[in-house]
Amino acid sequence: MTALLSVEGLTTHLHTDVGVVRAVDDVSLAVAPGEAVALVGESGCGKSMTALSMMRLAPPAARIEAGRVMFKGRDLLGLSARQMRRVRGGEMGMVFQDPMTFLNPLIRIGDQVEEAISLHMPERGRAAALLTLEALRRVRIADPEQVMGYYPHQLSGGMRQRVLIAIAIACRPSLLICDEPTTALDVTIQAQIMDLLRGLRAELGSAILLITHDLGLVAEYCDRVYVMYAGRVVEEASVFDVFARPRHPYTRALLRSTLRLDRRADGFRTIAGQPPNLVHPPPGCRFHPRCPEAFARCRTDEPDLYGSVGARARCLLHAPEAA
Amino acid sequence: MTPLLQVEGLEVGYETGGGVFRRGGAGVRAVAGVDLALNAGEVLALVGESGCGKTTVARALVGLLRPSAGRIRFAGRDVEALGRDDRLAWRRAVQMVFQDPFDSLNPRKTALATLAQPLRIHRIVPRAELRREAARLLDRVGLSPGAAYLNRYPHQFSGGQRQRICIARAIAVRPQVIVADEPVSALDVSIRAQILTLFQELSRDLGLATIFITHDLTVVRSLSDRVAVMYLGRIVEEGPTDAVFALPRHPYTAALLAASPIPDPVLARRLLRRPLGGDVPSPADPPGGCAFHPRCAHAAAICGTQRPVPQPQPGGGMSACHFAADAPQWARPHDRILEEVS
């Protein structure tokens, strides 16, 4: 199987007043055509910065220090800004958390969707308008002719997110990168949007990279999972494995602190301590100061990803010599 | 037993359509007739989606908003009729914790100054004891040793630590009720658990009654004794938490439960999910009859014309649905589905 997207050793540093933040540190991940992959972690773990670096949208303070982002056989990090603009919004669609930040409040919905289409497709005029209508219909917006004439403020949060998805899928991308697409939405609207994304994946055959902190969404909608902690991937596994047999102590702790609807928790499980400072990350395993299973070597030896591709964890408990 | 805090027919309206270019305009009834009762030591969760009026209820309860109709009783007495001293006592007894710990602390005040103010206003301890009391409060909320944190400013604390300071400020005046408005929504999973544990300890150790406002049903399930579900300014269902989760008796509650993701890939793939269609209607122009009927899969003709009156339900709750009695047929009770498939 050839990967659609394959990120290899991606390393992004943020140059700030307090020093160099190692936001993304040697991250590798792959997405196959049509696959739904989750990148999970808590705020500050580097999951969004990984996605932004991949799309070459990281803020000016960020510098990509190393790595390759192979997408359909090309390294995106080697493309010119102009070539990159053709990829983004074309073969690679993007959906972000807050649609208001990405929609222009002064431009009608129809014009914003059409702009995305005319940047990537030959259609103009009436033909482009028809594609716009089709994109809005595809995201199940009722009465798309009318909505085309609306400004963003006239739409609800859920409708704005549909518009953003319409823009993202207008050019039938082979990969849809969704960064916390439903975090700002209510739970019934979240269900509608996730259902829509699942439907679009089936209809268009697009792969989805879902960046989220919500393990419930991961369980329901994804095939494979990468767990990030303190700038690094600490575990990769199939969705069934990660919930049934989490390998990394951080993944286990995260799952234990996840609450469920179907039973009353007998106490709220917490992970002791705070995520580390990424200017001066702890030596050895970055999770060792909070890890209930840490032993002497965890404080000194940096763990590798142990296991086979698609089923491995960055933890010395899984190092071959420990077995 | 008289409830500690009781709300009858609460209505709160906001002016809309006014502003620089227009005057007047129609009002919005954000809260359109809410009845609630909170007993001493009880944790009541108030759930609903954005715009349902849950924050407005909270603000009215602590006296930050004046109701346009209805009554709030504290320990049996109407708070509107209280004299100056009794009013101060009510304001002291009911304290609030807000959602965003970044916005609700004064950035120019140290933790000591933040905590000393309510202690002084309500004369909780003599002036000479302020420092020691503030340190004790910080210890109580898990910032220990408290004395070491007294001179720090908000920006020197993490989000979770800030929320702890907000909680310390709320319990400083030794209240009987805490009204917490989405206090963990801005926090990460692992930090969220720490703050929820703190709320649980406070209600157990200090006997505090809590109204916990949230949109997160998993938190409701594990934290609350009772739950009240709001939709468009009204409570549509209320009852003991375990009973409501086992068999919701309002279709909106059932829809909320069905929409919440299940962190279990095996179960999630076996459960049939039918997301609730449509958006929440504008509270400026609520649908006639039952406000939920345009989105309800079980709506009948009567639902569009007659507003259902809340009726007591088996299990100790109440539901405002014409067809609550048929709930065992239409509700998709989570517990039961999960048992069937597992």
Side-chain angles (χ1 to χ4, degrees):
Chain A
M1 176 193 72
T2 9
L4 171 71
L5 171 81
S6 153
V7 175
E8 297 156 19
L10 186 67
T11 302
T12 305
H13 289 172
L14 285 168
H15 296 263
T16 69
D17 297 342
V18 291
V20 177
V21 179
R22 298 173 206 195
V24 180
D25 198 349
D26 193 20
V27 165
S28 298
L29 57 89
V31 181
E35 200 183 21
V37 175
L39 189 55
V40 200
E42 298 181 90
S43 19
C45 73
K47 57 191 193 299
S48 288
M49 195 54 70
T50 301
L52 290 173
S53 303
M54 276 162 38
M55 297 181 283
R56 304 255 310 270
L57 290 173
R63 218 163 42 221
I64 297 174
E65 305 286 336
R68 293 202 304 169
V69 179
M70 301 303 292
F71 179 61
K72 294 187 150 183
R74 288 189 296 178
D75 183 2
L76 297 185
L77 300 184
L79 297 188
S80 70
R82 191 193 168 83
Q83 288 170 312
M84 197 58 215
R85 274 200 298 275
R86 297 197 146 277
V87 175
R88 280 193 304 254
E91 297 159 275
M92 187 189 268
M94 300 164 294
V95 180
F96 297 97
Q97 175 173 343
D98 180 9
M100 247 351 228
T101 325
F102 294 89
L103 291 174
N104 187 326
L106 299 177
I107 299 180
R108 291 178 200 273
I109 297 299
D111 294 338
Q112 300 201 42
V113 181
E114 201 174 313
E115 184 191 358
I117 290 169
S118 61
L119 275 175
H120 298 281
M121 317 253 267
E123 280 81 358
R124 291 292 176 273
R126 185 142 174 76
L130 281 175
L131 284 179
T132 301
L133 212 54
E134 188 200 316
L136 290 175
R137 256 194 214 113
R138 218 179 260 286
V139 296
R140 329 264 197 276
I141 285 181
D143 208 355
E145 286 91 348
Q146 199 178 351
V147 170
M148 278 173 80
Y150 284 171
Y151 290 95
H153 77 268
Q154 292 171 289
L155 301 178
S156 67
M159 287 286 274
R160 284 178 201 148
Q161 198 56 290
R162 283 175 195 266
V163 170
L164 208 62
I165 295 173
I167 292 174
I169 57 133
C171 306
R172 299 176 161 258
S174 41
L175 175 66
L176 207 50
I177 297 177
C178 305
D179 189 357
E180 303 272 5
T182 58
T183 306
L185 304 175
D186 279 314
V187 58
T188 59
I189 309 300
Q190 163 170 287
Q192 292 175 5
I193 295 293
M194 292 309 298
D195 207 52
L196 172 65
L197 286 172
R198 173 156 49 198
L200 288 171
R201 187 184 153 208
E203 253 171 67
L204 306 174
S206 310
I208 288 183
L209 179 62
L210 177 71
I211 294 150
T212 183
H213 68 278
D214 188 334
L215 289 166
L217 292 183
V218 174
E220 298 226 353
Y221 298 98
C222 297
D223 307 321
R224 285 194 311 115
V225 183
Y226 292 88
V227 182
M228 276 189 83
Y229 181 78
R232 321 197 85 171
V233 170
V234 295
E235 176 156 1
E236 67 172 275
S238 81
V239 72
F240 296 105
D241 269 4
V242 99
F243 283 87
R245 291 174 291 279
R247 291 181 180 82
H248 198 284
Y250 174 65
T251 315
R252 282 201 278 274
L254 207 55
L255 284 168
R256 271 198 303 270
S257 59
T258 302
L259 296 171
R260 299 182 55 127
L261 272 186
D262 52 330
R263 59 176 103 105
R264 187 179 275 275
D266 50 4
F268 299 105
R269 306 294 194 89
T270 65
I271 306 177
Q274 303 274 333
N277 170 337
L278 292 182
V279 178
H280 303 290
C285 169
R286 290 183 180 180
F287 187 58
H288 87 256
R290 306 175 75 187
C291 182
E293 297 165 59
F295 49 98
R297 272 184 57 214
C298 301
R299 288 183 265 281
T300 52
D301 297 7
E302 242 183 86
D304 211 342
L305 275 169
Y306 303 107
S308 53
V309 173
R312 49 190 183 172
R314 194 181 290 281
C315 175
L316 290 173
L317 290 171
H318 297 276
E321 61 268 42
Chain B
M1 185 178 68
T2 318
L4 188 55
L5 194 61
Q6 196 171 13
V7 173
E8 292 162 5
L10 182 75
E11 292 187 21
V12 186
Y14 293 108
E15 296 279 326
T16 58
V20 186
F21 302 111
R22 264 179 301 170
R23 291 205 176 266
V28 170
R29 277 204 302 170
V31 176
V34 158
D35 298 319
L36 267 184
L38 179 71
N39 295 313
E42 188 178 58
V43 180
L44 172 73
L46 191 55
V47 288
E49 299 183 280
S50 354
C52 73
K54 55 193 194 297
T55 293
T56 304
V57 169
R59 289 177 171 263
L61 283 177
V62 296
L64 286 174
L65 280 175
R66 212 190 169 106
S68 38
R71 227 176 273 285
I72 298 173
R73 291 178 195 278
F74 180 69
R77 297 170 69 192
D78 185 347
V79 300
E80 284 292 317
L82 296 178
R84 195 172 170 281
D85 289 351
D86 286 338
R87 202 174 163 76
L88 194 65
W90 162 54
R91 297 289 293 258
R92 175 183 153 185
V94 184
Q95 290 292 314
M96 184 141 178
V97 174
F98 297 91
Q99 170 171 359
D100 190 339
F102 292 82
D103 284 347
S104 49
L105 288 174
N106 185 333
R108 294 166 179 245
K109 276 188 174 179
T110 60
L112 173 62
T114 296
L115 295 176
Q117 188 176 31
L119 291 172
R120 259 199 314 265
I121 290 173
H122 291 283
R123 304 208 173 92
I124 305 295
V125 292
R127 198 165 269 273
E129 302 267 316
L130 281 179
R131 213 182 157 80
R132 203 190 319 162
E133 178 66 8
R136 194 191 65 81
L137 286 165
L138 290 178
D139 274 326
R140 184 64 204 80
V141 297
L143 289 170
S144 62
Y149 293 95
L150 283 176
N151 294 322
R152 291 204 202 165
Y153 289 90
H155 75 266
Q156 293 169 296
F157 292 101
S158 69
Q161 289 175 324
R162 280 182 225 209
Q163 199 56 292
R164 288 178 194 272
I165 294 173
C166 294
I167 294 168
R169 176 176 59 187
I171 62 170
V173 296
R174 300 177 190 167
Q176 290 167 274
V177 179
I178 295 278
V179 178
D181 187 5
E182 301 265 13
V184 295
S185 305
L187 307 173
D188 261 318
V189 207
S190 62
I191 310 297
R192 182 179 300 183
Q194 297 173 8
I195 300 294
L196 290 172
T197 305
L198 179 58
F199 272 103
Q200 223 167 26
E201 287 170 8
L202 291 176
S203 86
R204 196 183 53 215
D205 302 347
L206 308 180
L208 276 175
T210 309
I211 293 186
F212 199 95
I213 294 168
T214 180
H215 65 275
D216 188 338
L217 290 161
T218 60
V219 171
V220 174
R221 177 85 208 231
S222 289
L223 189 75
S224 68
D225 303 313
R226 296 178 73 81
V227 57
V229 182
M230 279 190 81
Y231 189 75
L232 269 187
R234 288 199 166 80
I235 291 177
V236 295
E237 177 164 10
E238 193 269 334
T241 303
D242 289 340
V244 170
F245 275 65
L247 181 63
R249 290 178 190 269
H250 193 284
Y252 180 60
T253 316
L256 279 181
L257 287 171
S260 302
I262 302 165
D264 182 328
V266 181
L267 287 183
R269 278 161 177 72
R270 281 197 252 169
L271 280 182
L272 186 68
R273 189 178 298 285
R274 284 168 306 177
L276 190 59
D279 259 323
V280 181
S282 160
D285 183 23
C290 169
F292 186 61
H293 87 265
R295 302 176 77 192
C296 183
H298 315 286
I302 186 179
C303 303
T305 54
Q306 268 185 48
R307 194 168 66 233
V309 179
Q311 298 289 346
Q313 299 297 321
M318 77 90 198
S319 161
C321 172
H322 290 301
F323 300 101
D326 305 333
Q329 278 99 65
W330 53 251
R332 299 178 53 79
H334 246 70
D335 285 343
R336 217 184 52 203
I337 299 171
L338 293 179
E339 274 163 28
E340 277 170 16
V341 296
S342 54

Coordinates of all heavy atoms in Angstrom, one line a residue, chain A residues 10 16 38 44 55 57 70 75 77 83 96 123 127-128 140 155 176 180 183 200 211 236 256 258 268 279 293 314 319:
Chain A
L10 N 9.4 14.9 10.9 CA 9.1 16.4 10.9 C 9.4 17.0 12.2 O 9.1 16.5 13.3 CB 7.6 16.6 10.6 CG 7.1 18.0 10.4 CD1 7.7 18.6 9.2 CD2 5.6 18.1 10.4
T16 N 10.9 31.8 20.3 CA 10.1 32.7 21.2 C 11.1 33.5 22.1 O 12.2 33.2 22.2 CB 9.1 32.0 22.0 OG1 9.8 31.3 23.0 CG2 8.2 31.1 21.2
A38 N -6.5 9.5 13.1 CA -6.6 10.5 14.2 C -5.3 10.9 14.7 O -4.4 10.0 14.9 CB -7.5 10.0 15.3
G44 N -1.3 21.8 23.4 CA 0.2 22.1 23.6 C 1.0 20.8 23.3 O 2.2 20.9 23.4
M55 N 1.1 21.6 6.2 CA 0.4 22.5 5.2 C 1.2 23.7 4.9 O 0.8 24.6 4.1 CB -1.0 22.8 5.6 CG -1.9 21.6 5.8 SD -3.5 22.1 6.3 CE -3.3 22.4 8.0
L57 N 1.6 26.2 6.9 CA 0.9 27.3 7.4 C 1.3 27.7 8.8 O 0.6 28.5 9.5 CB -0.6 27.0 7.4 CG -1.3 26.9 6.0 CD1 -2.7 26.4 6.2 CD2 -1.3 28.2 5.3
M70 N 5.7 13.9 2.4 CA 5.5 13.4 1.0 C 4.0 13.3 0.8 O 3.3 12.6 1.6 CB 6.1 12.0 0.9 CG 7.6 12.0 1.1 SD 8.5 13.1 0.0 CE 8.2 12.3 -1.6
D75 N 7.5 16.1 -2.2 CA 7.8 16.6 -0.8 C 7.3 18.1 -0.7 O 7.8 19.0 -1.4 CB 9.3 16.6 -0.6 CG 9.6 17.1 0.8 OD1 8.7 17.4 1.6 OD2 10.8 17.1 1.2
L77 N 7.5 20.2 1.5 CA 8.5 21.2 2.1 C 9.4 21.7 1.0 O 10.0 22.8 1.2 CB 9.3 20.5 3.2 CG 8.4 20.0 4.4 CD1 9.3 19.5 5.5 CD2 7.5 21.0 4.9
Q83 N 3.4 26.9 -5.8 CA 3.0 25.5 -6.0 C 2.2 25.1 -4.8 O 1.2 24.3 -4.9 CB 4.2 24.7 -6.1 CG 4.9 24.8 -7.4 CD 6.3 24.1 -7.4 OE1 7.1 24.2 -6.5 NE2 6.6 23.4 -8.5
F96 N -11.0 23.9 9.9 CA -10.5 24.3 11.2 C -11.6 24.4 12.3 O -12.7 24.4 12.0 CB -9.7 25.6 11.1 CG -8.5 25.6 10.2 CD1 -8.6 26.0 8.9 CD2 -7.3 25.0 10.7 CE1 -7.5 25.9 8.0 CE2 -6.2 25.0 9.8 CZ -6.3 25.4 8.5
E123 N -13.2 26.0 -14.3 CA -14.6 26.5 -14.5 C -14.7 28.0 -14.1 O -14.1 28.4 -13.1 CB -15.6 25.7 -13.7 CG -16.0 24.5 -14.3 CD -15.0 23.3 -14.1 OE1 -14.0 23.6 -13.5 OE2 -15.3 22.2 -14.6
A127 N -20.5 28.1 -14.9 CA -20.1 26.8 -14.5 C -19.6 26.7 -13.1 O -19.8 25.8 -12.4 CB -19.0 26.3 -15.5
A128 N -18.8 27.8 -12.7 CA -18.3 27.9 -11.4 C -19.4 28.0 -10.3 O -19.4 27.4 -9.3 CB -17.3 29.0 -11.2
R140 N -25.1 19.2 2.6 CA -26.5 19.2 3.1 C -27.0 20.5 3.6 O -27.6 20.6 4.7 CB -26.7 18.1 4.2 CG -25.8 16.9 4.1 CD -26.4 15.7 3.4 NE -25.7 14.5 3.7 CZ -24.6 14.1 3.0 NH1 -24.1 14.9 2.0 NH2 -24.1 13.0 3.2
L155 N -25.4 33.1 9.5 CA -25.5 31.6 9.7 C -25.1 31.2 11.1 O -24.4 31.9 11.8 CB -24.5 30.9 8.7 CG -24.7 31.2 7.2 CD1 -23.6 30.5 6.5 CD2 -26.0 30.7 6.8
L176 N -8.4 15.3 3.5 CA -9.1 16.4 4.2 C -8.5 16.4 5.6 O -8.5 15.5 6.4 CB -10.6 16.0 4.3 CG -11.7 17.1 4.5 CD1 -11.5 18.2 3.4 CD2 -13.0 16.5 4.4
E180 N -9.7 19.9 15.0 CA -10.8 20.1 16.0 C -12.0 20.7 15.3 O -12.5 21.7 15.7 CB -10.3 21.1 17.1 CG -9.0 20.6 17.8 CD -9.3 19.8 19.0 OE1 -10.5 19.4 19.2 OE2 -8.4 19.4 19.7
T183 N -15.0 21.2 17.9 CA -14.8 21.6 19.3 C -15.7 22.8 19.7 O -16.1 22.9 20.9 CB -13.3 21.9 19.5 OG1 -12.6 20.7 19.1 CG2 -13.0 22.1 20.9
L200 N -19.1 12.2 3.4 CA -18.3 12.7 2.3 C -17.1 11.8 2.1 O -16.7 11.7 0.9 CB -17.8 14.1 2.7 CG -18.8 15.2 2.7 CD1 -18.3 16.5 3.3 CD2 -19.3 15.5 1.3
I211 N -7.6 15.8 13.7 CA -6.8 16.3 14.8 C -7.8 16.6 16.0 O -8.7 17.5 15.8 CB -6.0 17.5 14.4 CG1 -5.0 17.0 13.4 CG2 -5.2 18.1 15.6 CD1 -4.6 18.0 12.4
E236 N 1.4 4.6 18.1 CA 0.5 4.5 16.9 C -0.1 3.1 16.9 O 0.6 2.1 17.2 CB 1.3 4.8 15.6 CG 2.4 3.8 15.3 CD 3.0 4.0 13.9 OE1 2.4 3.6 12.9 OE2 4.0 4.7 13.8
R256 N -8.0 6.3 30.9 CA -8.6 6.2 32.2 C -9.3 7.5 32.7 O -10.3 7.5 33.4 CB -7.5 5.9 33.3 CG -7.3 4.4 33.5 CD -6.6 4.1 34.8 NE -5.3 4.8 34.9 CZ -4.2 4.3 34.4 NH1 -4.1 3.1 34.0 NH2 -3.1 5.0 34.5
T258 N -10.9 9.5 30.7 CA -12.0 9.7 29.8 C -13.3 9.2 30.5 O -13.4 8.1 30.9 CB -11.8 9.0 28.5 OG1 -10.6 9.5 27.9 CG2 -13.0 9.3 27.5
F268 N -12.8 10.7 39.6 CA -12.2 11.2 38.4 C -10.7 10.9 38.4 O -10.0 11.4 39.2 CB -12.5 12.7 38.3 CG -13.9 13.0 38.3 CD1 -14.6 13.5 39.4 CD2 -14.7 12.8 37.2 CE1 -15.9 13.8 39.4 CE2 -16.1 13.1 37.1 CZ -16.7 13.6 38.3
V279 N 10.7 24.0 26.1 CA 11.9 24.7 25.9 C 13.1 23.9 26.5 O 14.1 23.7 25.9 CB 11.9 26.1 26.6 CG1 13.3 26.8 26.4 CG2 10.8 27.0 26.0
E293 N 4.6 4.2 35.9 CA 5.3 3.0 35.6 C 6.8 3.2 35.3 O 7.6 2.3 34.9 CB 4.7 2.2 34.4 CG 3.3 1.7 34.7 CD 2.6 1.3 33.5 OE1 3.1 0.4 32.8 OE2 1.5 1.9 33.1
R314 N 6.4 4.6 22.1 CA 7.7 5.2 22.5 C 7.8 5.0 24.0 O 7.6 5.9 24.8 CB 7.7 6.6 22.1 CG 9.0 7.3 22.1 CD 9.0 8.8 21.7 NE 8.7 9.0 20.3 CZ 9.6 8.9 19.4 NH1 10.8 8.6 19.6 NH2 9.2 9.1 18.1
A319 N 10.8 -1.9 24.8 CA 12.0 -2.1 24.2 C 12.4 -3.6 24.1 O 12.1 -4.3 25.0 CB 13.1 -1.3 24.9

